[in-house]
């Protein structure tokens, strides 16, 4: 049992339903919930972060690898440490609108990302996918991006399930540096 906790519910003013859980506060997530870094419209000139990231330095944009058609970048609001995305430079919303070279390089950078994540962090598995459209859960539906989320045995603990909280053990800048150094040369 955790320190200062009993099996009986304790009075916790202001936290909703009484229970025996303590709360971890993650106020930085409120920026995402309130729409920080989200475009104001569907166009490339409507504040699309995926269109503006390539103009930044790798460190400032959290870019891990730049290809000719696509780039790999850390997610600002990760599900797990090392959560990154492969994104086409071109502002395109639908997977079927990618060119053959864009599709090929997106696949190749996905493979390289998996290799780098295994080397840098010992990932046991991955969730890889795209949410196509707002109704499918895309936070930024107007610019296609593929998520690559590393997973480890036992990483589904009580924090995300019960606490609705993600615990990330490393700062994004440090994760970017570690993955960039582990990225395979192809």
């Amino acid at each position: 049992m955790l320190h200062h906790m009993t099996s009986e519910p304790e009075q916790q003013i202001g936290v909703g339903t009484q229970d025996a859980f303590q709360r971890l506060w993650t106020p930085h997530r409120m920026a995402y919930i309130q729409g920080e870094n989200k475009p104001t419209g569907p166009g490339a000139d409507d504040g699309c972060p995926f269109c503006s990231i390539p103009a930044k330095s790798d460190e400032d944009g959290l870019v891990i690898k730049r290809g000719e058609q696509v780039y790999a970048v850390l997610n600002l609001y990760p599900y797990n440490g090392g959560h990154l995305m492969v994104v086409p430079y071109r502002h395109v919303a639908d997977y079927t609108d990618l060119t053959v070279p864009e599709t090929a390089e997106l696949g190749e950078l996905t493979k390289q990302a998996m290799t780098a994540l295994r080397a840098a962090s010992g990932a046991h598995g991955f969730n890889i996918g795209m949410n196509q459209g707002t109704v499918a859960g895309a936070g930024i539906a107007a610019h296609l991006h593929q998520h690559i989320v590393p997973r480890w045995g036992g990483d589904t603990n009580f924090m995300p399930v019960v606490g609705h909280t993600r615990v990330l053990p490393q700062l994004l800048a440090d994760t970017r540096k570690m993955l960039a150094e582990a990225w395979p040369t192809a």
Side-chain angles (χ1 to χ4, degrees):
M1 213 152 294
L2 296 175
H3 183 62
H4 298 302
M5 292 196 61
T6 67
S7 60
E8 297 297 318
E10 58 185 76
Q11 181 67 28
Q12 297 179 26
I13 306 298
V15 296
T17 307
Q18 287 187 20
D19 57 31
F21 293 101
Q22 294 184 17
R23 303 296 190 267
L24 292 178
W25 300 100
T26 56
H28 62 281
R29 294 282 303 162
M30 188 54 70
Y32 177 74
I33 292 166
Q34 293 177 335
E36 180 177 289
N37 296 322
K38 288 193 179 180
T40 57
D45 296 330
D46 291 330
C48 176
F50 297 134
C51 288
S52 64
I53 287 170
K56 298 177 182 181
S57 71
D58 289 355
E59 291 77 13
D60 290 342
L62 297 173
V63 174
I64 301 164
K65 175 69 176 176
R66 294 175 190 262
E68 292 181 26
Q69 307 290 322
V70 302
Y71 64 96
V73 62
L74 283 180
N75 190 322
L76 276 178
Y77 310 101
Y79 293 126
N80 260 351
H83 177 177
L84 60 93
M85 297 171 292
V86 179
V87 184
Y89 291 111
R90 190 167 61 96
H91 188 84
V92 58
D94 197 272
Y95 185 74
T96 61
D97 292 333
L98 290 177
T99 65
V100 170
E102 287 169 331
T103 304
E105 194 171 57
L106 187 136
E108 183 57 35
L109 258 65
T110 298
K111 288 171 47 178
Q112 291 176 12
M114 293 171 66
T115 300
L117 284 160
R118 283 187 181 121
S121 66
H124 298 146
F126 300 90
N127 293 120
I128 298 173
M130 300 178 203
N131 299 323
Q132 293 282 270
T134 304
V135 299
I140 301 174
H143 197 134
L144 178 115
H145 52 286
Q146 177 163 273
H147 294 265
I148 302 165
V149 182
R151 303 301 303 264
W152 297 268
D155 72 0
T156 336
N157 60 28
F158 77 95
M159 292 304 293
V161 175
V162 174
H164 301 286
T165 302
R166 309 255 184 233
V167 178
L168 302 171
Q170 190 174 47
L171 296 173
L172 290 175
D174 295 336
T175 302
R176 192 217 67 80
K177 185 176 186 294
M178 177 183 73
L179 289 173
E181 290 171 355
W183 202 271
T185 55

